[in-house]
Amino acid sequence: MGTPAATRYPIASSSGRAPPLFPQDLMPVEWTLSDDPGMSRILQRGLTYTNADFDYTVKVDVGRLNPATTYYYQFTARGESSPVGRTKTLPLGSLQSLRFAVVSCSNYPYGFFNAYRAIAARGDLDFVTHLGDYIYEYGNASFGDGTPLGRIPSPNKEIITLADYRQRHAQYRTDPDLQQAHRQHPWIVVWDDHETANNAWMGGAENHTPATEGNWGARRAAAAQAWEEWMPVRRNPYLEGDIYRSFRFGNLVDLVMLDTRLTGRSQHLPANSPLVLASTRSLLGDDQ
């Protein structure tokens, strides 16, 4: 949610990893779950842990929940409590309607996140789906100048390393409108290209130069790790790019979230290339 490192709580409901046996900076975090926004009736509570290995983010996968039910949750660490978050479980059986918001391409220096504010104010949404480009990898003025708005990207350079990507995700979560949108609604997310680099594909990106920016695999793994830490997804071995998955909303909607970038996408070609229509080219890869 973009709070200081000691009390930074990304909005998520995901499985956590067991803490290391002898961590140097292990931080216990208490979580509570309720069926009312005032947290007056605690349904479940527990204790989890985080440290620098997870960029001090916390995820909890809570069981024994009812379908189609709104729940409220809160984290507490080192005497500080997060704002109360709201989420909703998937429905089962017959479903007559579904209402969701679709968002993408949120570039911090390009302007304010007014759309997120509008989404946060909607109490009638079942969920938010983000189709990617949650962050952008550029330094300031490469694609939007945030100087007049006080929204200069941090770090102010093209991000490449794990520390860079973590810092950029953390900065985006300082935006109050984005915080509110996460706090008010469950999110279903995938990445596009700018979570790593412009026009990313399996083996590289238009905006990646190995001679000056190092190995593409290392950059891709760093970007994927930071995304997995900060985004509302279960902790899984996403570093290979296998984030495609599906969600069933009763008998009304099967939502299939695809990875059209890192899993099986072929390299970009000029539109006039004779190889554009080659049968060997792929967007999703064989497995997906």
Side-chain angles (χ1 to χ4, degrees):
M1 292 177 56
T3 53
T7 54
R8 185 186 300 152
Y9 306 99
I11 297 302
S13 297
S14 311
S15 58
R17 297 169 182 157
L21 292 177
F22 302 101
Q24 296 300 311
D25 62 346
L26 188 63
M27 181 190 301
V29 180
E30 182 183 9
W31 60 268
T32 51
L33 183 80
S34 177
D35 56 4
D36 76 279
M39 305 295 290
S40 61
R41 191 169 82 95
I42 302 302
L43 302 177
Q44 296 188 48
R45 67 170 69 244
L47 188 67
T48 186
Y49 301 87
T50 189
N51 65 3
D53 292 341
F54 305 106
D55 204 21
Y56 295 99
T57 61
V58 171
K59 302 187 180 190
V60 178
D61 200 346
V62 180
R64 306 191 308 278
L65 303 180
N66 296 319
T69 302
T70 297
Y71 291 99
Y72 301 87
Y73 58 93
Q74 190 171 38
F75 296 102
T76 301
R78 294 183 177 175
E80 298 288 340
S81 294
S82 73
V84 174
R86 183 179 70 159
T87 191
K88 188 175 182 180
T89 52
L90 294 178
L92 299 175
S94 179
L95 191 65
Q96 299 301 314
S97 64
L98 184 68
R99 179 168 286 151
F100 58 93
V102 178
V103 289
S104 66
C105 306
S106 46
N107 187 9
Y108 188 85
Y110 210 81
F112 294 109
F113 290 163
N114 300 314
Y116 289 143
R117 183 190 305 174
I119 288 170
R122 292 286 295 265
D124 58 345
L125 296 178
D126 292 290
F127 70 99
V128 175
T129 180
H130 200 297
L131 302 183
D133 292 347
Y134 185 91
I135 64 169
Y136 278 71
E137 79 277 20
Y138 302 112
N140 193 45
S142 294
F143 188 52
D145 186 352
T147 304
L149 304 176
R151 293 171 70 89
I152 296 176
S154 180
N156 187 8
K157 62 174 184 175
E158 184 178 334
I159 53 177
I160 298 173
T161 67
L162 177 58
D164 293 342
Y165 283 102
R166 282 172 164 176
Q167 187 173 341
R168 188 65 57 86
H169 275 280
Q171 181 190 38
Y172 272 58
R173 291 297 182 92
T174 65
D175 184 275
D177 297 324
L178 180 55
Q179 287 184 22
Q180 280 290 89
H182 274 288
R183 189 172 73 86
Q184 292 291 343
H185 305 293
W187 284 46
I188 298 174
V189 301
V190 289
W191 57 45
D192 195 24
D193 54 339
H194 290 288
E195 283 87 351
T196 49
N198 184 50
N199 281 346
W201 57 286
M202 282 193 303
E206 177 274 333
N207 194 26
H208 179 77
T209 306
T212 57
E213 296 173 333
N215 177 267
W216 166 250
R219 182 177 183 178
R220 167 179 161 167
Q225 180 175 338
W227 183 89
E228 186 266 344
E229 290 168 344
W230 277 92
M231 298 300 288
V233 292
R234 283 183 168 89
R235 292 207 191 278
N236 273 313
Y238 283 142
L239 301 189
E240 296 301 318
D242 294 338
I243 63 168
Y244 51 88
R245 62 212 190 280
S246 62
F247 301 83
R248 173 161 292 179
F249 293 83
N251 64 347
L252 184 62
V253 171
D254 287 335
L255 177 66
V256 181
M257 303 297 285
L258 301 176
D259 177 7
T260 62
R261 288 294 175 181
L262 301 185
T263 295
R265 189 183 188 117
S266 300
Q267 185 174 7
H268 293 258
L269 294 175
N272 60 355
S273 170
L275 300 178
V276 164
L277 300 180
S279 60
T280 55
R281 291 180 55 75
S282 172
L283 182 67
L284 304 177
D286 292 338
D287 292 341
Q288 185 175 190

